[in-house]
Amino acid sequence: MSIFDPVYRQKNIGGQITRTLFHIGQAVKNIFWDKSRLEHLTPAQVKSLLFINYTRKDAITIGNIARYLTCTPATASGVIDSLERKNLILRSRDTTDRRRVHLSLTPDGERVVGDIENIGYEMEEIIREFDPREQKILGQLLLKISEKLAERGLIFSGDICTECCFFKRDSHLGELKPHYCENLHILLSEEDICMEFPHFKKTLN
């Protein structure tokens, strides 16, 4: 029994879908490689730059980058070291806790992100050819698959705070950070809630 066996796939719709998802995954990998080569980077380096650019500052850690890349912390640390040598990221110590290291993009890093952040537009163009109802159904089904994979620890899950069940909008009106996270018990600014965060749980609709 194998999804790569055409006889098996003829009799099993699940096998057909799974093999198609494998092919789509390969296409995404190829897209990353093509874009990475243009900047003389590896896909892991490109993904790390995008993670640093679009993730909330307090969540940009080696551990979370490792989860995002599905690799060990040691491997993720090596990726970060290589980006630092290329002058694309900057490490800085937390002023209140010297054990914490902050990662941010340098001007060169921001330039590279500007060049690569349209990765995936080829896929999006194809999806736009579907009518709105088809897009909605596809999105719902792929989200279900993604959530199941995240539950099994096979993929990294993250999104903006406003889509999280722990997010409380305007619970501290008048404060510089008016929003609240019931999971981490911290206040959040408007800028914070527009960035991705890994400790995320989808709001049930």
Side-chain angles (χ1 to χ4, degrees), residues 33-189:
W33 266 115
D34 290 344
K35 185 68 74 170
S36 301
R37 289 191 189 99
L38 294 176
E39 297 293 339
H40 305 289
L41 298 171
T42 66
Q45 290 170 335
V46 166
K47 291 177 182 179
S48 297
L49 289 173
L50 292 170
F51 180 85
I52 292 170
N53 190 59
Y54 289 108
T55 301
R56 225 170 66 200
K57 292 180 177 62
D58 54 316
I60 303 174
T61 65
I62 295 295
N64 282 335
I65 291 173
R67 290 175 60 207
Y68 183 65
L69 299 177
T70 61
C71 67
T72 65
T75 299
S77 184
V79 172
I80 295 304
D81 288 343
S82 66
L83 290 172
E84 188 176 27
R85 287 193 297 269
K86 291 176 179 288
N87 194 36
L88 298 178
I89 66 165
L90 180 67
R91 296 181 199 245
S92 59
R93 292 284 176 182
D94 191 296
T95 55
T96 59
D97 185 351
R98 298 292 294 175
R99 293 170 299 178
R100 289 181 62 100
V101 176
H102 294 292
L103 301 174
S104 58
L105 299 178
T106 64
D108 283 345
E110 292 175 351
R111 177 194 59 76
V112 170
V113 166
D115 291 340
I116 64 176
E117 63 183 350
N118 68 339
I119 285 178
Y121 78 90
E122 300 96 334
M123 299 286 292
E124 188 176 3
E125 284 184 338
I126 293 172
I127 293 170
R128 283 177 178 169
E129 295 176 4
F130 302 159
D131 67 46
R133 189 183 69 85
E134 290 175 323
Q135 291 184 36
K136 184 176 181 180
I137 293 172
L138 178 62
Q140 290 172 336
L141 293 175
L142 290 177
L143 178 61
K144 285 184 179 180
I145 294 173
S146 179
E147 288 174 343
K148 293 293 185 182
L149 292 173
E151 288 173 4
R152 300 181 185 187
L154 296 174
I155 60 172
F156 176 90
S157 177
D159 210 328
I160 59 175
C161 293
T162 53
E163 296 296 309
C164 180
C165 68
F166 297 114
F167 175 69
K168 299 301 174 184
R169 182 182 290 279
D170 294 331
S171 62
H172 290 69
L173 279 174
E175 301 282 347
L176 290 175
K177 296 186 175 185
H179 316 298
Y180 187 69
C181 174
E182 290 188 330
N183 184 27
L184 301 179
H185 307 293
I186 60 173
L187 296 176
L188 302 167
S189 67

Side-chain angles (χ1 to χ4, degrees), residues 2-17 19:
S2 170
I3 64 168
F4 300 102
D5 180 349
V7 175
Y8 171 78
R9 288 199 310 275
Q10 285 181 340
K11 301 177 182 178
N12 293 274
I13 185 66
Q16 296 172 29
I17 294 170
R19 186 168 183 262

